[in-house]
Amino acid sequence: MRGDYQQLVDEISAVLGAPATLEDRDFGLIAFGAHGSVTDDDSQLTMDPVRTRSILHRRSTAAVRAWFEAFGIARATGPIRIPPDPAAGVVMGRICLPVRHAGVVHGYVWLLDDGHLSRLETGGPGVPPDPRLAQAMDTAARIGAQLAAEAQAGAEASELLRELLTGPPGGRDAAVAGLRGALGASADGLLAVVAVAPWLRGDEDAGAAADSPGSALAGQPGVAAICVAPVPGGASDGLAALVRLRAATALEPALTAAERLLRSPRAEPASARQGGGLAAAAVRAAPVGAEGGPPGAAAGISGPRRGLDDLPAAWGEAVAAARAARADPRLGAIAEWAAIGPYRTLTRLPTAAPPDPAVAPLLEPAQAQLAHTAEVFLDCAGQASRAAAALGIHRQTLYYRLSRVEKLTGLDLNEGEDRLLLHMALKAARL
């Protein structure tokens, strides 16, 4: 499908002799023509910063979107001329061709005006557009029909995915059969589930599984279906993306999808989490029991599955990994189920379970330093030298703090079962 869009964009570029870019209605990049490839004098063209960013980052900024939408592009049915605004980074003027189908705008074709487009009549009341623009609008209408068909197919697959992941067991066979029909051969291949939580629903999500960012993403390479779904054991919604894998040991497509989803405005921002794990200094700044604002969204990736039958379990893994990533900064913004260690067990426990009575005093905010010391000590397998180095303290200081932990909890840190109880209680407190 993306190759078809590229061919149609190239067709518009050739007709009008100007570089064209196709974006969806949320200003996500779908296809673009080569800059300067359709002109006789490439040396006269200057790259437009807004177009450059759109190509490099696959999406325009909110400020750019607001600037263009102020010209009424979402309501337009014909070409609209937009003047340059160097202060906003819009070095060149543009002609916008709205991409519509059945009265609904599905995207926009953007044409950079290097000078010669200014001679084209865009049309208006009683004035027909230039024949070349009329031909380009016909092509834009074909793009709109294709985007509409893709959105409809994506919405159907989305609803089936949500039913499979969260519906009653009795209805899963029908959901599997329907989703297999929607996905074709990829339904029997290697798949992984990506969960992003929390995810903010929009008005268009009411009664539906997909939203506009998700619908756009569902058409990207690697993402087979996507839906908004309630998070098991939680009060918020999450986003589930079904991602095709090339091999069971290669989760790169799932990581790419997770990174893209976390950049959505529907994913609550996670300050200091983007881009992977945190440094030791940052981890020390957020010990167990420390006060602070709620963490932002995080993503989890399930283990690979072949086929659709085991996707509900994969969704549970992905949600568990996302919960672990929100709980423990060392895991970063994106966590894989296979790499979350004890959280694989702890996330299966009831979320409302109270802390163990022995450990509860240690979880008071006033004891955050002692709780963090105990957690690091146990993370280091009880090796005092490693723990002291990780904490940046002297060994005697470590021993003093650990003795206070023992007095506060009544646990003996020389006993394996007491260590296990304390370690699991501290990790559970993060969740």
Side-chain angles (χ1 to χ4, degrees):
M1 294 285 277
R2 297 291 134 169
D4 293 343
Y5 292 134
Q6 185 63 60
Q7 182 177 347
L8 292 169
V9 166
D10 290 341
E11 184 178 314
I12 293 175
S13 295
V15 167
L16 296 175
T21 302
L22 172 63
E23 294 180 333
D24 62 34
R25 63 186 174 191
D26 293 304
F27 286 62
L29 182 67
I30 297 176
F32 62 92
H35 190 95
S37 63
V38 293
T39 66
D40 296 327
D41 188 1
D42 292 351
S43 64
Q44 299 302 312
L45 283 175
T46 302
M47 274 300 285
D48 184 271
V50 169
R51 185 177 194 265
T52 301
R53 189 192 187 284
S54 175
I55 292 172
L56 293 178
H57 297 276
R58 318 298 294 182
R59 183 171 296 278
S60 295
T61 65
V64 168
R65 175 174 179 168
W67 163 259
F68 287 132
E69 287 181 335
F71 289 89
I73 61 174
R75 301 182 300 276
T77 58
I80 289 185
R81 191 181 300 280
I82 298 176
D85 182 11
V90 183
V91 175
M92 293 184 186
R94 283 164 168 73
I95 291 179
C96 175
L97 308 182
V99 175
R100 307 181 73 90
H101 180 74
V104 177
V105 64
H106 290 275
Y108 309 98
V109 172
W110 301 97
L111 297 153
L112 288 181
D113 184 2
D114 64 335
H116 76 283
L117 287 184
S118 60
R119 298 188 294 271
L120 294 179
E121 176 58 61
T122 56
V127 180
D130 184 284
R132 288 170 293 175
L133 276 176
Q135 182 179 347
M137 282 299 298
D138 288 342
T139 304
R142 289 158 57 197
I143 295 174
Q146 188 163 311
L147 282 172
E150 184 178 331
Q152 179 63 31
E156 293 172 357
S158 176
E159 184 62 33
L160 289 166
L161 178 63
R162 187 166 67 94
E163 181 66 22
L164 174 58
L165 298 184
T166 65
R172 287 176 182 168
D173 288 346
V176 166
L179 195 56
R180 180 172 285 114
L183 301 183
S186 63
D188 296 317
L190 283 170
L191 301 164
V193 175
V194 172
V196 177
W199 186 265
L200 305 178
R201 281 183 183 261
D203 292 340
E204 68 271 27
D205 298 323
D211 62 5
S212 53
S215 299
L217 187 67
Q220 297 297 325
V223 178
I226 198 163
C227 69
V228 180
V231 174
S236 63
D237 287 318
L239 195 75
L242 184 61
V243 182
R244 304 180 189 92
L245 302 179
R246 293 182 292 271
T249 56
L251 292 177
E252 287 80 5
L255 288 167
T256 299
E259 290 169 355
R260 191 181 303 124
L261 282 166
L262 283 175
R263 291 196 293 269
S264 167
R266 297 291 176 83
E268 292 186 4
S271 59
R273 285 174 174 269
Q274 305 298 336
L278 301 180
V283 175
R284 287 198 296 270
V288 173
E291 296 187 38
I301 300 174
S302 75
R305 298 296 198 281
R306 185 170 291 281
L308 305 176
D309 293 329
D310 201 33
L311 289 190
W315 167 239
E317 292 177 0
V319 169
R323 286 183 61 198
R326 296 187 73 206
D328 197 330
R330 288 168 293 188
L331 295 174
I334 303 171
E336 299 175 20
W337 161 256
I340 61 174
Y343 294 111
R344 290 168 61 166
T345 295
L346 293 173
T347 50
R348 298 177 186 272
L349 301 178
T351 55
D356 185 89
V359 184
L362 190 61
L363 300 179
E364 295 294 329
Q367 307 301 334
Q369 184 185 67
L370 291 183
H372 183 56
T373 298
E375 185 180 16
V376 171
F377 173 71
L378 294 168
D379 286 345
C380 293
Q383 297 180 28
S385 58
R386 282 180 56 200
L391 291 164
I393 60 177
H394 193 275
R395 259 213 230 183
Q396 292 304 317
T397 303
L398 173 66
Y399 291 140
Y400 170 71
R401 291 183 186 177
L402 293 177
S403 68
R404 290 182 59 197
V405 169
E406 290 182 323
K407 290 179 181 178
L408 195 63
T409 62
L411 299 174
D412 184 353
L413 294 184
N414 289 317
E415 293 295 330
E417 290 191 356
D418 283 2
R419 283 192 184 187
L420 179 61
L421 170 61
L422 178 58
H423 205 183
M424 293 297 98
L426 291 171
K427 295 298 184 188
R430 288 190 175 275
L431 294 171

